Amino acid sequence: MLRSGAETYRVEDTMARIASSFGFTNSNSYVTPTGIIFQLDKAGSAQLIQIVTRTTDLRKVVAVNSISRQLSTGEISVQEAYTLLHQVDIEAHAFSIWLQIIAASIASGCFTIMFQGKWLDFIPGMICGGLGYCALIYFHHLVRVKFFAELMASFLIGIVSFLLTSAGIGQSLDKIIIGSVMPLVPGLLITNAVRDLMAGHLVSGLSRGAEAFLTAFAIGTGIAVVFIIF
């Protein structure tokens, strides 16, 4: 769940719910965006799990929530729950990379119009958004530094947007850039940061907020470099 973008309080609640269904009412858990510490009971030893990679796959979060509720109500056994959880874990992402790129491209064009761009900017917005998302995936695979991938993706969006408008393909440079970078904006991260803070998870909320700020800073820096060059 944590690797798929779930809030920390939801992860803690799910673990506590499953433990309670088997009579372990005194379980303790401490969850951060990068690790989980869980103790089944006060007499037992605690276990630490490190979270290295994080992505967004809310379908897996919903699936684990459903399994935990079925286990709590006794609808399925422990072995059945373990099998189902293992299947959810090994399943590929809900959407293929090409489908994600197409969706990002269409969303970029729509955002361009939503931010009062002209209809002539729709196609350039789609092109820039799709290329930017391709660059995000490529650079993230090439260098496992999320902020570098986001910076390079926004830089490419700025370059392509400038070239297209200079060639007469598109009119509003600012609207095209704004619409194209929207798929890169960490909306879910910001939402989870606020929800964690509201739930009292200050460490997780602040760390997610800092990650969202750095992502926004990387996007802004990539676009700013383009304007400095041109």
Side-chain angles (χ1 to χ4, degrees), residues 55-210:
T55 184
T56 301
D57 192 345
L58 299 183
R59 185 183 60 84
K60 288 189 176 184
V61 177
V62 173
V64 174
N65 270 333
S66 176
I67 294 171
S68 69
R69 289 189 176 90
Q70 291 177 1
L71 187 60
S72 300
T73 57
E75 297 179 23
I76 57 176
S77 64
V78 180
Q79 187 59 42
E80 290 173 336
Y82 178 80
T83 302
L84 291 173
L85 289 172
H86 182 67
Q87 290 176 354
V88 172
D89 186 35
I90 63 176
E91 282 180 356
H93 199 279
F95 304 104
S96 64
I97 292 178
W98 287 110
L99 187 57
Q100 294 178 52
I101 294 172
I102 293 172
S105 178
I106 296 174
S108 297
C110 294
F111 276 120
T112 301
I113 300 300
M114 189 183 76
F115 290 115
Q116 299 181 351
K118 306 297 182 181
W119 280 105
L120 293 175
D121 302 324
F122 182 79
I123 298 299
M126 289 184 61
I127 295 173
C128 295
L131 290 175
Y133 202 81
C134 286
L136 178 69
I137 296 174
Y138 173 75
F139 284 110
H140 185 65
H141 178 74
L142 188 66
V143 180
R144 292 291 180 177
V145 180
K146 179 183 177 184
F147 307 112
F148 174 77
E150 290 160 348
L151 189 149
M152 295 303 298
S154 61
F155 177 77
L156 179 63
I157 287 174
I159 290 288
V160 176
S161 299
F162 182 82
L163 294 176
L164 289 177
T165 53
S166 297
I169 306 174
Q171 294 180 346
S172 305
L173 175 62
D174 55 341
K175 304 300 189 299
I176 294 173
I177 291 177
I178 294 172
S180 300
V181 300
M182 287 304 293
L184 309 181
V185 173
L188 179 63
L189 199 59
I190 296 172
T191 302
N192 286 349
V194 174
R195 294 187 67 176
D196 282 338
L197 288 172
M198 293 177 65
H201 293 251
L202 302 181
V203 175
S204 298
L206 291 175
S207 62
R208 289 182 187 272

